Amino acid sequence: MFRATLKSLLARKVRLILSGLAVVLGVMFVSGAFVLTDTLGRSFDAVFADAYAGIDVNVAAKPKIAVGEAEGEQVSPAFPADVVGRVRAVPGVAEATGVVSADGARLIGSNGKVVTSFGPPQLGQNWIGESDLVKLREGRAPQADDEIVVNAALATAAKVKVGDRVGALTAFESKRRDFTLVGVFGYSGGRDSVGGANEIAFTTPAAQRLMLGKPDTFNSVTVQAAGGVTPEALRDDLTRALGTGYEVKTGEQLSADAAASLKEGLSFFNKVLLGFAAVALLVGTFLILNTFSIIVAQRTRELALMRAIGASGRQIIGSVVLEALAVGLIASVLGLGAGIGVGALLAWAFSTFAGGLTLAGLGVPPAAVISAFAVGMLITVVAALLPALRAARIPPIAAMQDVATPDRPLTKITVSGAVVTAVGGTLLAVGLTGNAGGTTLPVILAGVLFTFIGVALLTPLLSRPVVYLLGGLFAWSVPGRLGRLNSGRNPRRTAITAAALMVGIALVTGVTVILDSAKSSIAGAAESTVDAQLVIAGAQTGPRPPTFDPAVVDRAAAVPGVHAVVGVYNDNAVVDGDRTYVVALTDLAAMGQIYHTTAQAGTIATLRPDQVALSVSGAKELGKSVGDRLTAQFVRGEGPHAYTVTAVLPDDRAIGSIMLPKEAGAEFTSPQPFTALVQLTPGTAVSQVQPQLEALVADSPEVSVADRASFIEQQTSGFDTLLTMIQILLALAIVIAVLGIINTLALSVLERTRELGLLRAIGLRRAQTMRMITVEAVVISVFGALLGVVVGTGLGAAVVRALQDEGITDLVLPWSQIGIFLGLAALIGVVAAALPAIRAARINILGAIAHD
């Protein structure tokens, strides 16, 4: 039996390779995700180990608000300079150095634009001299407050050199300040940066003022231990000496904590890649199932003959499963190799995009190998199991028949499909209505999976009528009529082939519906509620949004033609013990005019320093009403502030859930506004005021003045970027679906060899044969795309309906995208049919007629 199985495999190499490609692509995604995250994780470990190599112990004030890597920016509070003296006085300390280091220093390049960063920080720090790690490559150290040095990576990106007069924006000054570049530094090993960070070093007084906002302060102290004192022992001594208000860590702890924080973000990226791998493998399952089903059907007489000479049903099952294991094993090996290559390529792209991160050596973690073989072989065997069971039920008498396995009734598969679809719909309803507790995402994903499988099971019932209607478009010719009949002759085969394409198209359609609906809802809400003709803001390209001088808001209010202006600050804060998102407004009364707000409770007036306004949902969540009090702790605040609720505003007429006075913004991570909404007096033209406002932010090159339509388009452009990324990743599923159509047609052509020979013998020309196969492929692919569009639209509409309370109120159906998908499906059919059609056209007529 083993030799027969091996011979069967070798006789069907091409067919099994085509089905194995689906597994190769899915495994490539799985193993590539693990290789990528392992490589980047070890790279960041090396970066931070190097960065903290010269530090025995580090002292920093405890953050007022703990923020994870994926949740925002962690800010180390400033503390008085005399803390450095207290540290230096502790026995066992050989040297203590006060350090200023904070994100938010942006250099303006020679082209007048800010050098941006898409991940690595833009650090502003005090120059503390050269070390084994840091060396000046050109120039000298800064000596005056208008002098700076930068790392070599930033100098290259900005195209500046020693002696140039350059501009910079800092954490506490968002308007341009000019400095003389007096030096460029690099790192040991010839590196231009550590981890791709852009760094500007000032004199200590300038760094304190520009990056911490207070003179005579630092936000960390680096400590060298005296001879014979271990870092751990010195850490414990410093902890006792300084008290509970400080975090004292060894250099190894700092390195581990920093790397762990970044790996938190990498783990999310890993899950995204694994999610797309799961989609690819689901589509691949349909392909493998169809391949083995067709092969079993073609081998009906062969398997029946084996049964007749004594092979048991168990041996038949074992033979088919063994073939599947062989295909899965080969595909897993190839997929693992491809995954290692893809992981290495993505890691290189990430390091380049992140600003020159030095990659650790490429590694293949055990998880990549285990997952590659477990997933690849398991998927293949599971997909082949049903055809194997079907093969075991072939009776020996079939050896004397000239027909393949007869077409079976669709009752069981239809009932099963209805049940599975109902389960999927129920899970989706539970997850989308928020009744799943802490398991919302898994429940929704399970609902999507069951829905796809259920619809796939129902597809055979739909295939004949739908395929008949679609085929009618081509029924004007003999090849078209034949292709139409061929595509509907085996509903199960057609359904499985179409279902593979359905999954990819459905996911793309569903995501498009959700994102387009979100864009429309945001734009509609802004148009209907915000009466601001101009917006002062910048496009966010890094971890923090661009900000501008608070004085711009007051100056804008004084511009002729301006009726009202409100500046907006934003940050995380701890309100009544829970971390949440808050905004601070320069003028609540002006906001009320711009939003046409009438308070549901309280009065709308400019907030005093001890007052707060809430939205209806914010008041409900906090359990507050007008007159109640709450406390708020800010990132840079010394202690919590007490506020009295003075107004409760409708959700659609409020900028945020918790609206604080402008004084609170001074203690935010960024103590400058990031947006200002400008309302013009009736009859004033935008073109009259906009140039005057642009002149106010001329020293803030990150910030611009846009009309409302342009601002809304700018803010929603991220949805288009996200959609493009998802479409690129889901293109893999569509590629696998194309392989499925090619495989099905190739096997179908082989199965119908005698039939094709007879058609050629009675006059069907080669070109007509190719058109017949092409029509069959186009009908199947358009059928799959049509299913995907319907299912995807339904899933997208369900999500939009569930998000109504979150402000997604518009349902937008992307008709143009749907048309593109259906057109793309027709093109896919033409491409997929090319090789099988050529093979069918080249068939030897006499040999085909004699084919058994």
Side-chain angles (χ1 to χ4, degrees):
M1 204 63 199
F2 176 78
R3 288 195 299 271
T5 301
L6 184 61
K7 187 175 181 180
S8 174
L9 266 173
L10 295 176
R12 297 172 176 83
K13 294 186 291 292
V14 176
R15 308 173 217 173
L16 295 176
I17 286 173
L18 283 173
S19 61
L21 277 176
V23 181
V24 169
L25 293 173
V27 169
M28 178 186 73
F29 241 141
V30 174
S31 56
F34 285 112
V35 169
L36 172 65
T37 51
D38 176 76
T39 301
L40 292 181
R42 288 185 295 103
S43 299
F44 284 119
D45 284 340
V47 165
F48 291 117
D50 202 0
Y52 297 113
I55 299 174
D56 289 331
V57 178
N58 187 80
V59 177
K62 284 186 176 178
K64 302 296 182 183
I65 299 175
V67 178
E69 177 69 22
E71 300 167 323
E73 182 183 350
Q74 182 70 72
V75 175
S76 297
F79 50 76
D82 61 13
V83 172
V84 179
R86 292 172 56 193
V87 170
R88 193 174 289 126
V90 173
V93 173
E95 184 180 348
T97 305
V99 174
V100 174
S101 182
D103 198 357
R106 292 93 73 203
L107 192 71
I108 299 171
S110 59
N111 59 358
K113 298 183 181 296
V114 173
V115 179
T116 57
S117 171
F118 296 90
Q122 296 179 290
L123 297 174
Q125 55 203 28
N126 63 325
W127 178 257
I128 58 176
E130 294 182 285
S131 65
D132 291 339
L133 178 65
V134 179
K135 295 289 184 183
L136 276 171
R137 293 184 183 175
E138 300 177 54
R140 58 173 175 81
Q143 297 171 354
D145 287 355
D146 67 341
E147 295 179 344
I148 59 172
V149 296
V150 301
N151 67 5
L154 181 54
T156 301
K159 296 181 180 178
V160 294
K161 61 184 182 301
V162 172
D164 286 351
R165 193 72 176 166
V166 297
L169 310 174
T170 58
F172 279 80
E173 282 193 9
S174 291
K175 63 180 180 180
R176 176 181 179 133
R177 178 182 287 269
D178 289 330
F179 299 86
T180 300
L181 180 63
V182 298
V184 174
F185 64 91
Y187 291 88
S188 59
R191 292 168 297 168
D192 291 343
S193 70
V194 172
N198 293 331
E199 296 169 277
I200 304 175
F202 309 87
T203 62
T204 295
Q208 291 169 336
R209 184 177 67 256
L210 299 174
M211 299 309 301
L212 300 182
K214 297 177 182 178
D216 298 322
T217 57
F218 296 101
N219 61 352
S220 69
V221 182
T222 60
V223 183
Q224 300 295 322
V229 179
T230 66
E232 291 75 17
L234 183 56
R235 174 198 60 195
D236 296 340
D237 291 342
L238 286 168
T239 300
R240 286 189 291 269
L242 296 175
T244 58
Y246 295 87
E247 287 185 337
V248 185
K249 297 181 179 180
T250 65
E252 288 185 0
Q253 285 178 300
L254 283 176
S255 176
D257 290 349
S261 182
L262 273 171
K263 287 178 182 178
E264 181 183 341
L266 288 177
S267 67
F268 173 78
F269 186 56
N270 190 47
K271 290 173 184 176
V272 170
L273 289 178
L274 291 176
F276 284 105
V279 173
L281 289 168
L282 175 63
V283 175
T285 300
F286 289 117
L287 194 162
I288 298 165
L289 174 62
N290 214 19
T291 300
F292 277 92
S293 295
I294 296 172
I295 289 174
V296 167
Q298 291 176 353
R299 294 172 59 197
T300 298
R301 293 186 67 184
E302 174 190 329
L303 294 172
L305 185 61
M306 294 178 71
R307 292 294 309 279
I309 61 175
S312 66
R314 181 177 298 177
Q315 287 177 307
I316 297 295
I317 293 174
S319 173
V320 176
V321 169
L322 187 59
E323 287 187 30
L325 279 172
V327 172
L329 177 62
I330 296 171
S332 296
V333 172
L334 295 177
L336 176 60
I340 294 171
V342 167
L345 179 63
L346 289 176
W348 171 82
F350 183 93
S351 69
T352 303
F353 186 71
L357 171 68
T358 302
L359 290 176
L362 182 68
V364 182
V369 179
I370 294 170
S371 62
F373 287 97
V375 170
M377 297 180 71
L378 180 64
I379 289 293
T380 312
V381 170
V382 168
L385 197 55
L386 283 176
L389 294 173
R390 196 177 303 139
R393 290 195 291 267
I394 295 175
I397 193 66
M400 296 182 290
Q401 297 177 344
D402 289 330
V403 295
T405 52
D407 203 11
R408 292 168 287 123
L410 302 175
T411 306
K412 290 183 179 179
I413 195 171
T414 301
V415 172
S416 300
V419 171
V420 174
T421 303
V423 171
T426 302
L427 290 171
L428 282 172
V430 171
L432 293 174
T433 53
N435 296 320
T439 60
T440 298
L441 183 59
V443 168
I444 291 176
L445 293 177
V448 171
L449 178 61
F450 274 89
T451 300
F452 279 141
I453 294 174
V455 172
L457 292 173
L458 290 172
T459 303
L461 181 67
L462 303 172
S463 64
R464 272 185 175 154
V466 176
V467 164
Y468 182 82
L469 291 173
L470 291 174
L473 299 173
F474 307 95
W476 49 269
S477 66
V478 171
R481 288 196 294 273
L482 289 173
R484 176 193 197 183
L485 293 172
N486 288 336
S487 59
R489 66 161 60 178
N490 193 321
R492 282 182 170 81
R493 186 178 301 176
T494 299
I496 294 173
T497 306
L501 185 59
M502 173 201 73
V503 173
I505 297 293
L507 288 173
V508 172
T509 303
V511 171
T512 304
V513 168
I514 296 167
L515 294 182
D516 283 357
S517 298
K519 284 177 61 179
S520 176
S521 299
I522 292 171
E527 291 287 346
S528 62
T529 63
V530 181
D531 187 18
Q533 289 74 36
L534 291 168
V535 180
I536 303 173
Q540 185 169 350
T541 58
R544 60 165 65 196
T547 58
F548 50 88
D549 188 349
V552 169
V553 177
D554 296 329
R555 292 171 187 160
V559 171
V562 172
H563 177 63
V565 181
V566 59
V568 185
Y569 305 70
N570 69 326
D571 204 5
N572 284 300
V574 174
V575 178
D576 281 353
D578 294 321
R579 192 179 64 203
T580 187
Y581 181 81
V582 299
V583 299
L585 308 176
T586 57
D587 192 340
L588 181 66
M591 191 277 289
Q593 294 178 46
I594 293 172
Y595 274 70
H596 306 300
T597 297
T598 55
Q600 294 190 357
T603 58
I604 294 183
T606 299
L607 293 172
R608 295 200 308 264
D610 62 344
Q611 293 180 330
V612 63
L614 305 175
S615 68
V616 170
S617 60
K620 182 179 179 181
E621 185 175 348
L622 292 169
K624 303 292 184 182
S625 58
V626 172
D628 290 343
R629 292 176 66 79
L630 57 81
T631 60
Q633 172 66 58
F634 307 122
V635 169
R636 298 186 188 274
E638 293 298 328
H641 296 268
Y643 294 95
T644 300
V645 179
T646 188
V648 177
L649 312 180
D651 286 346
D652 61 347
R653 304 285 172 171
I655 290 183
S657 298
I658 302 173
M659 291 156 282
L660 297 156
K662 65 179 180 181
E663 289 80 5
E667 298 184 0
F668 284 7
T669 299
S670 239
Q672 293 99 20
F674 75 101
T675 299
L677 306 175
V678 182
Q679 182 187 57
L680 305 182
T681 55
T684 302
V686 168
S687 59
Q688 176 185 337
V689 177
Q690 188 170 357
Q692 299 180 67
L693 296 181
E694 288 173 343
L696 296 178
V697 293
D699 287 337
S700 301
E702 294 176 302
V703 178
S704 60
V705 181
D707 59 44
R708 180 168 57 185
S710 300
F711 177 73
I712 292 171
E713 183 179 353
Q714 180 190 77
Q715 296 303 304
T716 57
S717 61
F719 290 112
D720 297 327
T721 303
L722 178 61
L723 179 60
T724 301
M725 291 174 60
I726 291 173
Q727 288 174 337
I728 291 172
L729 290 169
L730 286 176
L732 176 63
I734 296 174
V735 168
I736 295 176
V738 173
L739 292 176
I741 297 172
I742 294 173
N743 206 20
T744 299
L745 289 175
L747 293 172
S748 181
V749 166
L750 184 64
E751 186 180 55
R752 304 200 310 258
T753 299
R754 188 175 184 185
E755 175 187 318
L756 290 169
L758 290 171
L759 287 172
R760 291 293 312 283
I762 61 175
L764 193 69
R765 296 188 300 275
R766 286 187 174 183
Q768 290 177 311
T769 303
M770 294 177 69
R771 287 206 301 273
M772 176 184 71
I773 300 297
T774 302
V775 167
E776 184 177 350
V778 169
V779 168
I780 292 173
S781 59
V782 172
F783 173 47
L786 193 60
L787 276 176
V789 164
V790 172
V791 173
T793 301
L795 289 174
V799 173
V800 170
R801 175 66 182 84
L803 293 175
Q804 275 192 337
D805 292 340
E806 304 299 325
I808 311 300
T809 55
D810 295 349
L811 175 61
V812 177
L813 299 182
W815 295 111
S816 59
Q817 293 273 40
I818 289 173
I820 291 173
F821 293 154
L822 294 177
L824 179 63
L827 179 62
I828 285 172
V830 173
V831 172
L835 291 177
I838 291 172
R839 181 173 181 178
R842 290 178 175 175
I843 200 167
N844 182 281
I845 297 176
L846 294 179
I849 294 174
H851 182 79
D852 188 5

